[in-house]
Amino acid sequence: MATGIPVTSNVTNLRCRECGTETDIGPIHVCDVCFGPLEVAYDEDLIVQRVSRERIAGGPATMWRYADLLPLIDDDPAVRVDLGTGFTPLRPAPRLAARLGLGELYLKDDTRNPSGSFKDRVVTVALTAARALGIETVGCASTGNLANAVAAHAAATGLTAYVFVPHDLEQAKIVASAVYGANVVSVKGTYDEVNRLCAEVADHKSWGLCNVNLRPYYAEGSKTIGFEIAEQLGWRLPDHVVIPVASGAMLTKVHKAFGELQRYGLVDGATPRISGAQAAGCNPVAAAFKAGTRDIRPVKPDTIARSLAIGDPADGYYAVGIAQETGGVVEDVTDDEIVAGIRLLAETEGIFAETAGGVTVANLLKLARAGVVRRDERVVAVISGNGFKTIEALAPSTGATYHVAPSLDDLLAQLESRQEQP
């Protein structure tokens, strides 16, 4: 982008979300004073000088068109890690809307990202920060999608990658990490145990672990979903957004994105209602919301939606608060409902989503039937990952419609037989 504005970082430091203590920029995510989560603090005066709708429109057709609103420790485009992530379609979904009894429904289709999920957004930002900090080995704790994204982006930038995953992960996600040359570390434990191991690794190695010691930068990548929704709606905010919840970071950062757009004068209108979607087999955020508290009680996951199977979500407390404050809800659905949601989305809109997408659509159906999501609202549902990664979830109930010999007579007989059935 040609700007005429001096090249400089827009990050001032890191700031604790709880006590406000400020910390120098570095690979650190926890406050030394209160152990609260650290977030990126920006030079807002610089952002005000830079950002505008016109400048964004003149940027690349990727999430880096919002570079002014992302953490740039070294504002040199050569440092950025970019595989073309983001600016994914915001698709009108009239057939699904009709089935749900809704009016204006859009799907944010993040199955289109380079490694097939929204995790490419957060990894792009995290590895850009890692390069600016001089880190040469990167990694993550992952339920699969993040591992795929780290492996792909590390390969494209020459960084060494170690991705840590639960041992029972879907085979497609393991292969999709290993093919990029990443070191795949299979851990005999749940995601939460994998995450604890990675926290220990971060203390012993000079590695940049995306969702551990690089988390303040990493999490900011999810804001681009909110930025894109607003721009693709003609710089209007929707009325209601439904978001899948694992750690809760996507929900909190989309909310943050809407606030930044309002603060910098890029959009008008009220903050949307934001609802969260979880699986019943791993629902600590939904359970807290239903109990009327923001305190999260960790659970042991047991669901086919493994990409959402975080029993102790880092941003769960904040996700519940945002749902409460905006008039949204956090609901959950069974595994059977998740499979039905995947099929409903595919059959009506031609999008094959992974289990997290099934969670979103199934919850949307549940909320629409309950009148929580209303027909008079402009609704956006986030579809966060591609279904080819989680074939196992559908294999028991989905397959060939007919089994025939290589014979026209056999085919016609079966077609006729099927047509005669009531």
Side-chain angles (χ1 to χ4, degrees):
M1 282 181 280
T3 65
I5 296 171
V7 174
T8 182
S9 170
N10 62 0
V11 180
T12 58
N13 49 35
L14 302 179
R15 185 175 299 145
C16 177
R17 206 187 307 187
E18 292 299 322
C19 73
T21 296
E22 295 184 346
T23 303
D24 290 343
I25 297 168
I28 180 173
H29 70 296
V30 176
C31 175
D32 287 337
V33 176
C34 73
F35 301 107
L38 295 176
E39 287 196 316
V40 172
Y42 292 94
D43 182 342
E44 297 202 1
D45 291 338
L46 181 63
I47 292 176
V48 168
Q49 292 177 39
R50 288 177 164 179
V51 74
S52 68
R53 292 182 185 178
E54 293 73 21
R55 184 171 152 91
I56 291 170
T62 73
M63 57 175 276
W64 285 107
R65 65 201 285 109
Y66 311 103
D68 292 334
L69 301 168
L70 296 173
L72 299 174
I73 299 172
D74 181 351
D75 191 7
D76 178 355
V79 175
R80 292 178 199 168
V81 178
D82 187 3
L83 292 185
T85 294
F87 215 51
T88 56
L90 183 68
R91 297 179 43 173
R95 286 170 50 80
L96 179 59
R99 292 283 291 272
L100 301 181
L102 297 178
E104 192 175 357
L105 173 64
Y106 298 86
L107 302 173
K108 186 58 176 164
D109 185 6
D110 258 23
T111 68
R112 304 292 192 89
N113 279 315
S115 74
S117 85
F118 89 101
K119 290 294 186 181
D120 289 317
R121 297 177 183 272
V122 287
V123 168
T124 298
V125 176
L127 296 200
T128 297
R131 294 181 82 186
L133 293 169
I135 295 170
E136 297 181 350
T137 299
V138 296
C140 64
S142 177
T143 55
N145 285 327
L146 180 57
N148 297 167
V150 169
H153 288 78
T157 45
L159 296 169
T160 301
Y162 285 81
V163 298
F164 296 75
V165 299
H167 66 102
D168 59 350
L169 197 63
E170 296 97 334
Q171 187 66 18
K173 290 180 176 175
I174 294 174
V175 171
S177 294
V179 72
Y180 296 110
N183 298 284
V184 180
V185 183
S186 176
V187 180
K188 292 183 179 179
T190 65
Y191 170 81
D192 296 290
E193 291 169 313
V194 174
N195 199 36
R196 281 196 291 274
L197 173 61
C198 283
E200 294 173 2
V201 171
D203 288 338
H204 285 79
K205 294 282 190 180
S206 299
W207 294 356
L209 300 181
C210 288
N211 51 345
V212 183
N213 55 355
L214 294 177
R215 190 175 185 85
Y217 320 99
Y218 156 94
E220 291 288 283
S222 288
K223 292 192 306 184
T224 57
I225 296 174
F227 297 152
E228 290 176 18
I229 289 171
E231 184 180 359
Q232 291 168 326
L233 287 175
W235 293 111
R236 296 180 301 166
L237 295 177
D239 299 310
H240 202 150
V241 183
V242 179
I243 297 174
V245 173
S247 72
M250 184 201 291
L251 189 151
T252 61
K253 294 303 180 180
V254 169
H255 176 259
K256 183 178 182 183
F258 293 148
E260 290 185 357
L261 294 176
Q262 292 168 321
R263 188 160 71 252
Y264 295 125
L266 296 170
V267 295
D268 298 319
T271 300
R273 301 169 68 198
I274 300 181
S275 291
Q278 287 208 299
C282 186
N283 66 346
V285 182
F289 181 88
K290 293 176 183 179
T293 177
R294 298 185 184 187
D295 295 330
I296 303 297
R297 298 186 64 178
V299 302
K300 187 172 183 177
D302 182 14
T303 173
I304 61 171
R306 294 178 185 171
S307 63
L308 302 182
I310 297 179
D312 188 10
D315 272 36
Y317 172 89
Y318 303 102
V320 172
I322 289 168
Q324 292 171 336
E325 292 167 4
T326 63
V329 303
V330 187
E331 188 51 271
D332 54 46
V333 291
T334 66
D335 282 359
D336 286 345
E337 291 172 317
I338 294 169
V339 172
I342 294 171
R343 297 187 65 153
L344 177 60
L345 176 62
E347 291 168 2
T348 55
E349 299 296 341
I351 297 175
F352 183 19
E354 68 157 356
T355 47
V359 169
T360 300
V361 172
N363 271 284
L364 182 60
L365 173 61
K366 196 170 185 177
L367 296 176
R369 286 176 172 171
V372 175
V373 179
R374 303 191 305 266
R375 185 177 180 82
D376 63 347
E377 290 183 310
R378 182 185 301 119
V379 180
V380 175
V382 178
I383 307 301
S384 56
N386 193 296
F388 288 106
K389 297 184 177 194
T390 55
I391 292 290
E392 294 98 323
L394 290 171
S397 60
T398 306
T401 307
Y402 297 95
H403 295 272
V404 302
S407 159
L408 180 59
D409 290 341
D410 189 17
L411 173 61
L412 294 177
Q414 290 205 32
L415 290 174
E416 185 176 352
S417 173
R418 185 67 61 91
Q419 289 170 352
E420 288 177 351
Q421 293 180 4

